[in-house]
Amino acid sequence: MKPIISTVKGSRDFYPEEMAVRKWLYGRLQEVSETFGYQEYDGPFLEKIDLYAAKSGEELVKEQAFVFPDRGGDLITLRPELTPSLARMVAQKQGELVFPLRWWSFGPFWRYERPQKGRSREFFQWNIDLIGALGPEADAELVAIGATFLKQTGLKSDEVTILVNNRRLMEKALLDIAIPLELHKSVFRLIDRRDKLSPEAWESYALELGLTSEQFMNLVGLLGNTSLWEQSEELRRFFAALEVMGVREYVRYDPQIIRGLDYYTGTVFEARDRDGEFRAILGGGRYDNLVGDVGGSPLTGVGFAMGDVVVSLVLKKYGKVPAFQPSPAPILVTVFDEERLSVSTGFAARLRAAGLRVNCFTDATKLQKQLKFADKMGFRLVAIIGPEEAAQNQVAIKDLVSRTQTIVQQSEAATVIQQILAGG
RNA sequence: GUGGCUGUAGCUCAAUGGCAGAGCACUUGACUGUGGAUCAAGGGGUUGUGGGUUCGACCCCCAUCAGCCACCCCA
């Protein structure tokens, strides 16, 4: 045997079973996106590196993007995220697009990272954005979309939660406890890292940043204040909107949610599973100057991204992924022997012409083998045309679930099959 | 990019430095016109890859690749 060339590190093969999950996931998020009136779009998979240099900068491009020169010498990047492409697409046609813009997309992305659980180098991501809407109700709509999606997949509100905070509120709260503006960026980072460090390490990290022990104590108190949101007009309206949209139970205020990305300016949120076993299922928030950064007029937006890897792990853990149906066709037409091969082939074709999905054997192997194949592939029905049936233009229809068999005229077979399938 | 753990049959895993095994899966038969169960038999391995130490290496050492875990970052 020749050695098998392995897959590229961090990439995945989608065997039919995995492909079914991906397709199912796509179906759910398409449904939710369109339920809220969002239009599907996509950008190129290949982009010039300059597109990311402008905005994402540093880490994402230098360390995490797949970059290579094309034959003309330009540096090409396999897109590590969609937002810059979105910003460009909006800026390019800013004058003719109809705002507010509601757009969603699902496609592949690449990041050159060390793969581990919930993180691969090639992954699929759902991006959904609302651009050009100002009120906190817009933020609530995006969170409601995330919550509705989770709900549609069967995840319950005691299994997953969307945690929400607001950066403007946090800025104000930090000023209230006398932490000066110039420290906010590093304090945000401090807050973001709290769960990663031991309490002692976290405290010394805080003091290293230059916080006094009084400021530190106040910060700890602040992060324990789950009612902080009530001080924000924005968040009061936000939660009220979620209430009337019927998804409030999926959403919780958490003063510790900050999100790593610097471009978030207002509401930030992320979905996590109950046990906090996995990294964030989805993450997003409100951002300013999305379009301004690439040369358009300033426009604000709110949106989130969801990778396929973590959500698949969560859905699997909570048993929400539907059982795999190996065969897309419900019926298998067997081949009795060499002489009957063309009879079966022709019969299968007539069933297809009648609108049925049909799998037809192409080799005259032992019937027992074909039935075993049918069993493993999960066919509901098997058609058998032996010499006796063939002589009278009949066919035996065997129901593998009820373990019964009926003999009918071939001309009536399609109708009979449709009845059996419809009957459950 | 940094540190750690693990790579043995299709899968899950055994095997004091001394003959590479089990369960499941697979193939065949019992059953020459009928699936799941049972029974019987059988096939399957360059022990991730390449070096080294040793009389002898799945086992020890080095390198490399891959998977996983923690950083980093984030979906």
Side-chain angles (χ1 to χ4, degrees):
Chain A
M1 257 183 17
K2 283 184 186 172
I4 296 169
I5 308 291
S6 62
T7 53
V8 171
K9 182 177 184 145
S11 67
R12 294 165 291 166
D13 287 326
F14 287 86
Y15 286 85
E17 188 159 1
E18 289 87 36
M19 194 62 208
V21 175
R22 185 171 118 195
K23 215 174 142 186
W24 173 76
L25 208 58
Y26 178 82
R28 298 288 74 69
L29 58 89
Q30 174 186 38
E31 194 183 320
V32 172
S33 301
E34 292 182 350
T35 294
F36 282 81
Y38 284 63
Q39 299 170 284
E40 187 173 10
Y41 76 105
D42 207 349
F45 297 176
L46 298 175
E47 290 278 15
K48 289 182 182 166
I49 193 170
D50 313 70
L51 181 70
Y52 304 98
K55 186 179 150 295
S56 325
E58 300 104 56
E59 178 91 20
L60 196 58
V61 175
K62 281 186 192 149
E63 314 262 340
Q64 296 185 356
F66 279 84
V67 181
F68 54 90
D70 67 10
R71 288 170 191 262
D74 285 338
L75 280 181
I76 303 299
T77 305
L78 280 169
R79 62 179 188 184
E81 60 164 333
L82 190 59
T83 308
S85 305
L86 169 64
R88 183 198 55 226
M89 287 169 70
V90 172
Q92 275 172 182
K93 295 202 171 186
Q94 198 158 0
E96 69 181 273
L97 293 170
V98 182
F99 294 93
L101 212 69
R102 286 178 166 83
W103 282 9
W104 73 278
S105 183
F106 182 75
F109 294 87
W110 295 266
R111 290 186 194 171
Y112 196 81
E113 297 183 283
R114 286 280 286 267
Q116 52 187 270
K117 200 195 321 190
R119 190 171 79 183
S120 56
R121 286 186 173 182
E122 181 180 65
F123 56 97
F124 286 80
Q125 198 178 70
W126 177 29
N127 283 266
I128 183 159
D129 292 273
L130 168 50
I131 293 165
L134 296 173
E137 287 75 16
D139 303 20
E141 177 170 302
L142 267 292
V143 170
I145 289 169
T148 305
F149 166 79
L150 296 170
K151 198 173 179 176
Q152 297 268 333
T153 61
L155 287 164
K156 304 276 185 263
S157 58
D158 61 354
E159 291 168 333
V160 289
T161 311
I162 299 179
L163 303 168
V164 177
N165 197 4
N166 184 293
R167 285 203 177 175
R168 269 190 287 271
L169 170 64
M170 291 306 285
E171 300 259 354
K172 185 179 164 296
L174 291 182
L175 288 174
D176 287 348
I177 58 173
I179 295 178
L181 211 53
E182 58 268 25
L183 275 179
H184 285 193
K185 197 172 169 181
S186 46
V187 170
F188 276 168
R189 183 160 166 71
L190 173 74
I191 296 170
D192 200 38
R193 300 203 60 197
R194 190 180 187 185
D195 291 336
K196 300 251 176 168
L197 302 172
S198 68
E200 299 76 27
W202 190 66
E203 178 167 1
S204 48
Y205 179 24
L207 300 180
E208 271 169 40
L209 287 179
L211 294 190
T212 65
S213 43
E214 192 190 345
Q215 287 171 328
F216 176 75
M217 294 301 290
N218 284 334
L219 179 62
V220 171
L222 182 65
L223 296 180
N225 182 5
T226 53
S227 305
L228 191 66
W229 64 275
E230 291 166 8
Q231 300 174 16
S232 159
E233 158 80 11
E234 223 177 316
L235 281 178
R236 284 200 304 272
R237 279 171 61 185
F238 171 85
F239 279 114
L242 287 170
E243 195 82 53
V244 295
M245 283 190 277
V247 291
R248 179 65 176 85
E249 55 179 358
Y250 278 88
V251 188
R252 204 173 75 217
Y253 177 72
D254 184 342
Q256 214 167 296
I257 298 300
I258 287 297
R259 305 295 301 157
L261 295 173
D262 289 337
Y263 57 74
Y264 291 124
T265 51
T267 302
V268 286
F269 54 91
E270 63 186 42
R272 314 221 54 132
D273 94 293
R274 178 182 59 200
D275 309 326
E277 181 184 340
F278 306 101
R279 51 190 80 235
I281 299 166
L282 59 85
R286 178 169 278 281
Y287 42 79
D288 287 332
N289 291 323
L290 167 79
V291 186
D293 288 347
V294 293
S297 309
L299 267 177
T300 65
V302 51
F304 69 81
M306 183 189 79
D308 70 312
V309 184
V310 174
V311 74
S312 297
L313 290 171
V314 172
L315 288 165
K316 206 169 177 184
K317 173 181 170 185
Y318 292 100
K320 310 299 184 188
V321 181
F324 176 54
Q325 301 289 338
S327 174
I331 180 162
L332 173 72
V333 174
T334 58
V335 172
F336 193 83
D337 53 24
E338 288 292 343
E339 292 94 299
R340 249 61 57 169
L341 179 54
S342 67
V343 176
S344 287
T345 307
F347 175 67
R350 287 203 298 283
L351 292 184
R352 289 190 199 107
L356 286 163
R357 296 173 165 194
V358 182
N359 189 329
C360 185
F361 239 79
T362 50
D363 294 298
T365 55
K366 290 174 70 171
L367 195 56
Q368 189 184 35
K369 236 181 145 174
Q370 298 182 49
L371 282 162
K372 204 161 187 173
F373 170 82
D375 186 47
K376 284 183 187 166
M377 289 292 289
F379 288 95
R380 170 74 194 275
L381 300 172
V382 169
I384 303 164
I385 305 175
E388 289 169 26
E389 289 86 359
Q392 302 185 60
N393 289 319
Q394 292 178 324
V395 56
I397 305 293
K398 184 178 171 69
D399 187 331
L400 294 189
V401 175
S402 68
R403 312 194 65 167
T404 55
Q405 184 169 314
T406 51
I407 294 178
V408 299
Q409 288 300 310
Q410 288 175 21
S411 55
E412 294 163 8
T415 312
V416 172
I417 290 164
Q418 271 153 352
Q419 277 167 2
I420 296 173
L421 294 176

